[in-house]
Amino acid sequence: MSYAGNERLRRLLYAKIDECAGGCAGPEARELLTLGDLQRELDENGARMPGFSTAKRIREWTRGTSDAAYTITCDELSSECFLRVEFYKNRFAVDRASFYIRFYDTKSQHRFIDESGIGLIYRLLENFKNIAEEYVKLRGEIERNEKLRRLTINSIETWLALICKNISLPYHIVKMESQAALYLLLRNGRQLEIYIPYNNFQQILSGLEDTINKYAALQDGSAAKVLISNRSNSIRWKNTD
């Protein structure tokens, strides 16, 4: 999946965390008042949410320093979809905790929590299956669009190869996120650049060969060498009035 596609999926996860952060506290708020309470809850019974399982992992780093991670998965979903809560204990620092959610290859950012954020963990679990459904729907849409984009790019490359073969000019194609760029080396050493947006490439390609021939003829047949540029500069234009 493209970088842009992955970013859309990450933004979905960030948005869902923000939505759950504004939710009302549940019954766990009366009993889990500190981060220590939350960790003991995960140690003894797992997350108090029906249909979820909790797995624990502890790592010792140095003497007096360790972390514990709790992976909470929904029994109805793939194990690749989970919420992870991590606790850090250090004899030189205050205990800290953070969490993130992950759906398949997409991971949210780590977010540190304090006592006021304990409820957020449970609001996310309450909405976990709905978030997974929205994620899968968006991922399918992105994958379909990217497949269509690949077909479009392949079609553009095929057409450009035929056009450039007829013109007999050296060329190079650069594929970008929303458009392709065709670079042609003219006989006088100048370079012609043509940008072809994917969303209306057929309209551009229909008259492209004629356009290239006109520019090439202009460069070859004129005593004055003409360069057309869209670069901004500090030229002061003179009025012709």
Side-chain angles (χ1 to χ4, degrees), residues 127-145:
N127 292 278
F128 205 74
K129 286 189 285 187
N130 290 335
I131 296 173
E133 289 176 2
E134 289 192 45
Y135 175 91
V136 170
K137 181 179 178 180
L138 178 58
R139 187 178 65 172
E141 176 188 323
I142 291 171
E143 289 175 346
R144 287 191 296 273
N145 289 340

Side-chain angles (χ1 to χ4, degrees), residues 218-226:
L218 177 63
Q219 292 285 354
D220 291 340
S222 174
K225 297 305 179 185
V226 180

Side-chain angles (χ1 to χ4, degrees), residues 74-213:
C74 177
D75 299 339
E76 297 180 23
L77 299 176
S78 165
S79 60
E80 295 179 81
C81 305
F82 57 83
L83 184 151
R84 181 165 293 160
V85 186
E86 299 178 345
F87 296 86
Y88 310 88
K89 293 185 178 296
N90 190 320
R91 57 180 174 170
F92 301 113
V94 177
D95 293 352
R96 298 181 300 162
S98 70
F99 76 91
Y100 65 87
I101 55 176
R102 179 165 183 158
F103 290 87
Y104 303 100
D105 295 327
T106 309
K107 174 185 171 184
S108 74
Q109 80 275 40
H110 276 264
R111 184 174 291 193
F112 286 99
I113 56 172
D114 55 18
E115 281 71 16
S116 64
I118 293 174
L120 174 56
I121 301 298
Y122 286 90
R123 302 295 78 72
L124 283 167
L125 294 178
E126 285 178 349
N127 292 278
F128 205 74
K129 286 189 285 187
N130 290 335
I131 296 173
E133 289 176 2
E134 289 192 45
Y135 175 91
V136 170
K137 181 179 178 180
L138 178 58
R139 187 178 65 172
E141 176 188 323
I142 291 171
E143 289 175 346
R144 287 191 296 273
N145 289 340
E146 291 190 350
K147 181 179 180 181
L148 179 61
R149 180 175 173 272
R150 287 192 296 271
L151 292 173
T152 298
I153 292 173
N154 291 338
S155 178
I156 288 175
E157 286 188 297
T158 300
W159 279 104
L160 289 180
L162 291 172
I163 291 170
C164 293
K165 182 178 180 181
N166 292 336
I167 297 172
S168 299
L169 290 174
Y171 71 96
H172 180 63
I173 302 170
V174 176
K175 295 172 284 187
M176 293 176 279
E177 186 64 30
S178 61
Q179 62 184 354
L182 172 64
Y183 300 91
L184 293 133
L185 183 62
L186 303 179
R187 294 181 181 85
N188 55 23
R190 294 191 185 278
Q191 181 173 280
L192 184 61
E193 302 177 15
I194 301 174
Y195 293 91
I196 307 165
Y198 299 141
N199 58 4
N200 66 336
F201 74 97
Q202 293 173 324
Q203 180 181 354
I204 294 175
L205 291 182
S206 64
L208 184 59
E209 185 172 346
D210 185 50
T211 299
I212 295 171
N213 285 328

Side-chain angles (χ1 to χ4, degrees), residues 9-69:
L9 291 171
R10 276 192 287 270
R11 287 197 298 270
L12 172 67
L13 297 188
Y14 300 163
K16 292 305 174 182
I17 291 174
D18 289 339
E19 286 178 15
C20 291
C24 297
E28 79 286 338
R30 294 190 294 270
E31 300 177 32
L32 307 180
L33 302 178
T34 69
L35 292 178
D37 293 337
L38 175 61
Q39 187 169 8
R40 281 190 293 274
E41 175 80 11
L42 296 177
D43 270 334
E44 296 172 4
N45 306 306
R48 56 173 69 188
M49 190 66 63
F52 284 84
S53 302
T54 303
K56 178 182 178 181
R57 182 203 66 199
I58 294 180
R59 291 187 296 183
E60 296 285 343
W61 294 104
T62 58
R63 187 175 181 180
T65 302
S66 65
D67 69 45

